[in-house]
Amino acid sequence: MYRKIIKRSLSNMRDSYWIYILACSFAIGVFGILLSMGGNPSVHAAMHWWNTFIYELSIFMSGLFAFCAFIYMIYVGGFFIQRQKNEFLTFEKLGMQHWVIVMISFLQTAIVQIVAWAIGMLLMVIFQKFMGMLLFYLMRLHFNFTMNFDSYTFVVLFRTFLFSTIILSLVNAIKTAKILRKKQRKVNVKTRWWLRIPAGIFGIILLFSAQICTWALFTDIRMITYSSKPINEILFILLADILGTYLVYYGFLPTILNLLQKIHAISYSGLNLFSFKYLKERLFQNISILWFVTELSALALALLTFCYFGYQAVHESYNSSYPFELAANKDTVHFIKKELKQTNAKVKGKYKTNVKINLTSYYSKNSSTYIKQPMTFMSYSAYKSLPKRMHKGNSKINANEFMKIDTPTGIMYRNQESEYNINVKGAPMIAKAKAGHSFPYGGSMHFGPMMIVPNKYYQAMPAEVSDTFYGWDFKKGDRLQKSQVERLKHYRDAYYMKVDFKSSLKDSTVEVVKKAPKQYDASVYTQVGYLREGNVKKRFKQGGGFYLYIVALFSVALLIALGSVLTLRILLRDDYQSRQLRTLQKIGVEEKEIKRIILQENTWTFLIPIVFALVQSYTAIAMFDSGRHISKNIILIFGGYIVLYGLFGFISYQVSWRSIKQKFRL
């Protein structure tokens, strides 16, 4: 008999259980893949310098993922127990003992977990190859990923399965026992409008203040190393966003729906008044779920977008520091060319640019100090003759404008501002210079800022030091051997400049020396002889690819889990809600109208979190850099989120309508 009861319960909620099982199976499959990555021989062969790190990181990330998945299973598993509340109470009234009912709940949960783990393990075996090749693709590794499952992985998976199944079954058994002890029906306390409206207004105030604080945060973030102000702003933003969103849901959503009902606006929209009341009550009951999904969806979107921004910022910073794989100045170019003749390097392009080094002084708004320093000058025509990637991220200037290129001090270069009144030794003062951050030939080839000036200004300006920069583009790298790189290290520093600043620039002097000074101080500047960072570039791409892989995996898994939460919340109606729909049918509401109710319920349940999550994440991103990086990549992330939740909403609607139709035989 007990076997039949369990079978009937699983069959009655099979649609909901399958959605839950598939979400759990996806999480279990990802957990197994992450766990197996650490001991995969092909991963260690492809990333031999990451050997220990990749193993420890995979273990840590798989453990973190397993913890998040376990929390999801506990949270959603309670939906099924709540759905069977009346069923368990009926069993009790029929004389079934409490421990038997609790055991039925325990066994149901165990069976569902066994099925989920079986499917999850199958997904792990099927998709390990695909996920591994995806990782290698993102890391730019030309290596064949081989499937591998060691005994350690299977032991950990079996232990995790055993303990998680027992714990989840016990948790649901305890929830069932509590239901049997507490037989009284829960009384819903209706909160009055005089509390909801002020709460909603306060929620809006909190959300606006969070956005204003976000704007301030990205201005103050540079102080994070020596001030607690950015940390306090971050905490306030988190609390204001979380509490503000809940208060808006709690206050304005019910108020607007009640207002529509009071002014009889629904009566003229073609929607049955009884249908509207049902829809309104369902939305009221799901406020906490909607808020929960909204905040975590916004978190997932923010994680994806800001991680993309972070990767983009690091990538741009790297390209601005090393635009050429190999660069040199006039002191080292002969040695570089000599070594290149001994390799099989295929040169795609050669570049040569004359520069002048002169002394300057100006007041910097960013540092709020008066600065005296040497600066490298390049003519406008020489700057424009370089590849477009050299000035792609800089401000656009014409032949008569100036641009000062400096190391960025703010996130995504937002804090770069135009400089004014720059005094140059022996040349007219520069009234205004636009800001840039991408250095021609790389930032490391310079000991300070660089100035792009009109051709006439460059030709007329005297130079304390004259130099020439060289750059090479290669097909498949410069092919320099380790021994050659060791020989080139002797030419790392081309020369040194000792600057003696006086009160007046025209009295200041520069002394060029070839040997390294015995003692370095603020007046000594070093001119780098060459830059060659091929290995760093390779590791940078690999690290960035792994970083994107992990973040995308976590974010997509989180969005899928949240989508299934909304779907299950709609499908798992309790008996009271089912009776409401049945009552609508009995009083003459047509099948088309009830189908419309189900459609609107699904639409609003999925639409509200989508809109709020997109608004929150988009506002933060727009304030992050005044919309400068709202690119097609961000649109693709948002579009993917909408499509994913739209798919969940469509599935939820189809399954929900089929269940209602079968139950009422419409």
Side-chain angles (χ1 to χ4, degrees):
M1 181 182 71
Y2 302 143
R3 181 175 62 84
K4 290 182 179 180
I5 291 174
I6 295 174
K7 183 178 179 181
R8 184 179 60 82
S9 297
L10 294 176
S11 178
N12 289 341
M13 296 188 293
R14 59 183 179 276
D15 293 332
S16 303
Y17 269 123
W18 272 119
I19 292 173
Y20 172 73
I21 286 172
L22 291 177
C24 292
S25 300
F26 175 79
I28 292 166
V30 172
F31 167 63
I33 290 172
L34 287 175
L35 189 64
S36 63
M37 288 281 186
N40 193 299
S42 60
V43 173
H44 288 275
M47 299 177 282
H48 53 275
W49 51 78
W50 286 34
N51 213 348
T52 305
F53 175 74
I54 196 70
Y55 176 77
E56 294 175 350
L57 186 61
S58 64
I59 295 296
F60 172 77
M61 296 305 293
S62 61
L64 180 61
F65 190 87
F67 175 77
C68 296
F70 184 70
I71 297 299
Y72 164 80
M73 292 177 185
I74 290 179
Y75 179 71
V76 178
F79 289 180
F80 296 96
I81 300 301
Q82 192 63 31
R83 170 64 179 81
Q84 292 180 275
K85 176 181 178 180
N86 292 332
E87 183 180 349
F88 292 149
L89 293 176
T90 302
F91 290 159
E92 183 194 30
K93 290 179 181 179
L94 294 175
M96 188 177 290
Q97 296 180 357
H98 282 196
W99 71 269
V100 175
I101 301 174
V102 170
M103 184 56 65
I104 290 174
S105 174
F106 180 92
L107 293 176
Q108 280 184 195
T109 306
I111 292 172
V112 171
Q113 290 302 310
I114 291 171
V115 175
W117 272 89
I119 298 176
M121 295 290 286
L122 183 62
L123 292 176
M124 179 187 71
V125 174
I126 294 174
F127 290 103
Q128 192 203 44
K129 178 78 172 181
F130 170 77
M131 297 298 288
M133 293 307 298
L134 177 62
L135 173 63
F136 280 8
Y137 172 78
L138 292 174
M139 297 183 71
R140 312 286 180 90
L141 293 172
H142 302 287
F143 205 90
N144 184 36
F145 181 88
T146 57
M147 295 180 62
N148 179 74
F149 298 99
D150 54 17
S151 57
Y152 172 78
T153 300
F154 280 108
V155 169
V156 173
L157 287 173
F158 178 75
R159 289 179 178 175
T160 307
F161 155 70
L162 188 61
F163 287 111
S164 64
T165 302
I166 293 174
I167 293 173
L168 288 171
S169 301
L170 285 174
V171 168
N172 283 350
I174 293 171
K175 290 179 179 178
T176 304
K178 288 183 177 180
I179 289 175
L180 296 175
R181 290 195 191 98
K182 190 176 181 181
K183 303 174 186 177
Q184 303 93 334
R185 190 169 186 173
K186 184 178 179 180
V187 178
N188 292 323
V189 179
K190 295 184 178 180
T191 309
R192 301 301 179 184
W193 63 268
W194 53 266
L195 183 57
R196 289 190 184 275
I197 293 179
I201 294 174
F202 183 60
I204 291 179
I205 294 173
L206 283 177
L207 289 178
F208 272 107
S209 61
Q211 304 311 317
I212 295 172
C213 193
T214 302
W215 181 277
L217 172 64
F218 292 117
T219 304
D220 301 333
I221 193 68
R222 62 179 183 272
M223 302 188 302
I224 197 167
T225 55
Y226 57 87
S227 173
S228 61
K229 186 177 179 181
I231 300 297
N232 295 332
E233 290 174 341
I234 292 172
L235 293 175
F236 175 77
I237 291 169
L238 291 175
L239 291 175
D241 265 330
I242 293 172
L243 182 59
T245 303
Y246 181 79
L247 290 178
V248 168
Y249 278 170
Y250 173 83
F252 277 108
L253 180 61
T255 301
I256 291 173
L257 293 176
N258 284 329
L259 181 62
L260 290 174
Q261 182 179 345
K262 293 290 184 183
I263 64 177
H264 305 291
I266 301 302
S267 302
Y268 303 101
S269 65
L271 181 66
N272 186 286
L273 183 60
F274 297 103
S275 304
F276 176 75
K277 287 184 176 181
Y278 170 81
L279 179 63
K280 184 184 72 172
E281 289 182 10
R282 284 286 285 171
L283 288 176
F284 285 6
Q285 293 170 3
N286 291 333
I287 281 178
S288 297
I289 299 295
L290 293 176
W291 166 73
F292 176 77
V293 172
T294 298
E295 292 307 297
L296 288 185
S297 297
L299 176 63
L301 284 176
L303 185 63
L304 279 172
T305 51
F306 281 108
C307 284
Y308 166 74
F309 281 157
Y311 177 78
Q312 188 181 42
V314 175
H315 191 271
E316 289 185 10
S317 178
Y318 177 86
N319 287 336
S320 67
S321 299
Y322 307 104
F324 290 109
E325 186 170 336
L326 189 61
N329 82 321
K330 66 179 182 180
D331 294 78
T332 58
V333 63
H334 302 294
F335 304 103
I336 296 290
K337 289 180 177 179
K338 180 181 177 182
E339 297 295 341
L340 287 176
K341 288 181 180 179
Q342 302 176 20
T343 67
N344 296 322
K346 297 180 180 179
V347 180
K348 290 195 302 183
K350 300 179 182 178
Y351 301 90
K352 174 183 176 181
T353 305
N354 295 322
V355 297
K356 294 180 179 180
I357 299 174
N358 206 348
L359 300 180
T360 61
S361 64
Y362 59 96
Y363 179 80
S364 174
K365 291 184 177 180
N366 287 332
S367 60
S368 301
T369 57
Y370 191 77
I371 296 176
K372 290 183 178 181
Q373 61 184 178
M375 194 177 293
T376 306
F377 288 77
M378 181 183 291
S379 66
Y380 174 81
S381 59
Y383 172 72
K384 296 297 288 186
S385 65
L386 291 171
K388 291 183 179 180
R389 68 176 186 270
M390 303 294 176
H391 43 79
K392 183 179 179 181
N394 289 332
S395 303
K396 293 182 179 180
I397 58 173
N398 58 38
N400 298 316
E401 291 180 315
F402 297 81
M403 181 172 64
K404 176 176 170 287
I405 302 173
D406 205 347
T407 304
T409 57
I411 297 177
M412 297 298 290
Y413 319 119
R414 180 179 174 277
N415 293 327
Q416 293 294 304
E417 298 179 356
S418 298
E419 298 285 356
Y420 297 88
N421 300 330
I422 302 174
N423 294 306
V424 183
K425 183 179 180 180
M429 183 183 69
I430 300 173
K432 179 183 177 182
K434 291 185 176 181
H437 66 267
S438 184
F439 285 89
Y441 294 93
S444 299
M445 287 293 291
H446 308 272
F447 36 73
M450 185 171 195
M451 185 72 70
I452 308 300
V453 298
N455 293 340
K456 290 183 179 180
Y457 189 97
Y458 179 83
Q459 295 168 1
M461 185 191 73
E464 293 291 320
V465 180
S466 296
D467 206 338
T468 305
F469 290 158
Y470 298 82
W472 292 268
D473 284 333
F474 301 94
K475 291 182 180 179
K476 298 182 180 180
D478 54 33
R479 304 297 181 89
L480 292 175
Q481 302 296 321
K482 186 176 181 180
S483 58
Q484 294 178 291
V485 176
E486 289 295 327
R487 287 196 296 270
L488 287 176
K489 286 183 178 180
H490 298 290
Y491 308 103
R492 180 67 178 177
D493 298 329
Y495 55 83
Y496 306 87
M497 293 187 300
K498 291 184 177 181
V499 182
D500 184 14
F501 280 108
K502 304 295 184 180
S503 58
S504 175
L505 275 182
K506 66 179 182 179
D507 298 328
S508 302
T509 58
V510 177
E511 179 187 359
V512 178
V513 293
K514 293 293 183 180
K515 294 183 179 181
K518 295 181 179 179
Q519 184 176 359
Y520 287 90
D521 55 40
S523 64
V524 176
Y525 298 84
T526 304
Q527 174 59 54
V528 175
Y530 80 96
L531 286 179
R532 193 257 182 185
E533 297 293 343
N535 288 334
V536 173
K537 186 175 183 180
K538 184 186 297 183
R539 297 189 183 189
F540 165 76
K541 289 181 178 179
Q542 291 181 5
F546 186 80
Y547 174 73
L548 290 178
Y549 176 82
I550 292 295
V551 170
L553 200 60
F554 265 76
S555 300
V556 171
L558 179 59
L559 291 175
I560 290 176
L562 294 173
S564 68
V565 168
L566 286 178
T567 299
L568 291 171
R569 188 64 178 178
I570 292 174
L571 296 182
L572 293 173
R573 292 178 175 86
D574 58 26
D575 293 339
Y576 173 70
Q577 293 158 353
S578 298
R579 286 197 301 270
Q580 284 184 306
L581 290 175
R582 182 64 172 170
T583 301
L584 291 176
Q585 182 197 23
K586 289 181 178 180
I587 64 176
V589 177
E590 297 179 354
E591 175 183 338
K592 182 174 65 174
E593 181 67 23
I594 295 181
K595 188 175 182 180
R596 186 180 177 186
I597 294 172
I598 303 300
L599 176 61
Q600 289 180 334
E601 178 186 356
N602 281 266
T603 301
W604 285 108
T605 303
F606 281 89
L607 183 62
I608 292 173
I610 287 176
V611 171
F612 270 83
L614 289 177
V615 168
Q616 282 185 338
S617 55
Y618 181 86
T619 304
I621 293 166
M623 289 186 174
F624 182 76
D625 198 35
S626 301
R628 180 173 178 263
H629 287 78
I630 303 299
S631 63
K632 61 181 181 181
N633 299 301
I634 305 305
I635 295 174
L636 286 176
I637 293 175
F638 283 7
Y641 167 68
I642 294 173
V643 170
L644 178 64
Y645 271 51
L647 180 62
F648 270 109
F650 177 77
I651 294 173
S652 173
Y653 164 66
Q654 293 293 333
V655 176
S656 181
W657 170 239
R658 189 185 71 173
S659 175
I660 294 296
K661 191 173 182 179
Q662 288 176 348
K663 184 177 294 186
F664 297 154
R665 296 179 182 178
L666 293 174

